[in-house]
């Protein structure tokens, strides 16, 4: 999901995928001076289609709104309805390592993160979980 805000215009535009079932999907921006081009991509590596067959890509939405917070809330509500989202009884708080380490991490990295989070909880941050994402297990590459 991305939000575009053009300084001369009051409206903000959101582009966001609404399904997360089959592919990694993302937006690519190309800028040239004062103009830009946006393209939506679905990663299809490793997928082979037989002759005359088709595949359904991840859907996305484009919406405009003057109020940034309303725009995000409306997008989140829409995606939640489309995906039958459930609201947890408590807010899940913590840290997920994927955006920082990707697949390049070891036990020492995870422990260092845990100790840093522990210090933050002492000063009031409600951090409860660490999610260890891809790259942790050797069996995944075998």
């Amino acid at each position: 999901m991305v939000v575009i805000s053009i300084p001369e215009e009051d409206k903000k535009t959101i582009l966001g995928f609404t399904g997360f079932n089959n592919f990694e999907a993302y937006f690519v921006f190309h800028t040239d001076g004062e103009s830009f081009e946006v393209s939506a991509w679905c990663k299809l590596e490793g997928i082979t289609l037989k002759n005359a067959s088709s595949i359904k890509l991840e859907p996305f939405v484009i919406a405009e709104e003057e109020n940034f917070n309303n725009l995000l809330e409306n997008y989140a509500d829409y995606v939640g309805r489309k995906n039958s989202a459930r609201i947890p009884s408590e807010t899940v708080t913590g840290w997920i390592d994927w955006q920082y380490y990707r697949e390049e991490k070891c036990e020492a990295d995870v422990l260092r993160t845990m100790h840093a989070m522990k210090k933050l909880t002492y000063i009031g941050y409600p951090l409860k979980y660490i999610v260890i994402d891809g790259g942790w297990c050797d069996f995944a590459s075998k």
Side-chain angles (χ1 to χ4, degrees):
M1 175 269 296
V2 297
V3 175
I4 301 167
S5 178
I6 299 171
E8 302 83 37
E9 298 181 17
D10 290 334
K11 292 184 179 179
K12 282 83 174 145
T13 304
I14 193 167
L15 295 86
F17 286 92
T18 61
F20 313 97
N21 300 314
N22 300 308
F23 310 107
E24 178 182 344
Y26 53 95
F27 295 99
V28 175
F29 286 80
H30 298 282
T31 58
D32 182 23
E34 293 185 21
S35 65
F36 65 91
E37 177 183 300
V38 180
S39 55
W41 292 75
C42 290
K43 212 171 192 180
L44 302 175
E45 292 174 11
I47 296 174
T48 305
L49 294 177
K50 296 180 181 179
N51 290 341
S53 63
S54 64
I55 193 165
K56 186 175 180 179
L57 301 177
E58 298 298 342
F60 69 91
V61 66
I62 300 172
E64 286 186 327
E65 170 80 47
E66 287 183 15
N67 183 289
F68 178 75
N69 291 325
N70 288 346
L71 182 65
L72 293 180
E73 189 172 319
N74 291 338
Y75 170 73
D77 288 345
Y78 180 77
V79 171
R81 284 191 310 275
K82 295 286 284 181
N83 293 281
S84 302
R86 299 176 314 273
I87 298 173
S89 58
E90 67 176 311
T91 301
V92 178
T93 59
W95 186 72
I96 186 166
D97 68 8
W98 180 253
Q99 294 303 323
Y100 188 79
Y101 291 118
R102 298 286 177 184
E103 294 182 0
E104 303 297 324
K105 64 183 148 290
C106 64
E107 181 179 0
D109 295 328
V110 175
L111 290 172
R112 192 171 36 258
T113 299
M114 180 194 66
H115 291 299
M117 284 179 61
K118 190 173 183 180
K119 290 177 185 177
L120 291 172
T121 61
Y122 286 140
I123 60 173
Y125 288 89
L127 303 171
K128 209 168 180 183
Y129 301 97
I130 296 176
V131 176
I132 303 168
D133 209 338
W136 178 252
C137 303
D138 284 339
F139 73 84
S141 60
K142 293 179 182 176

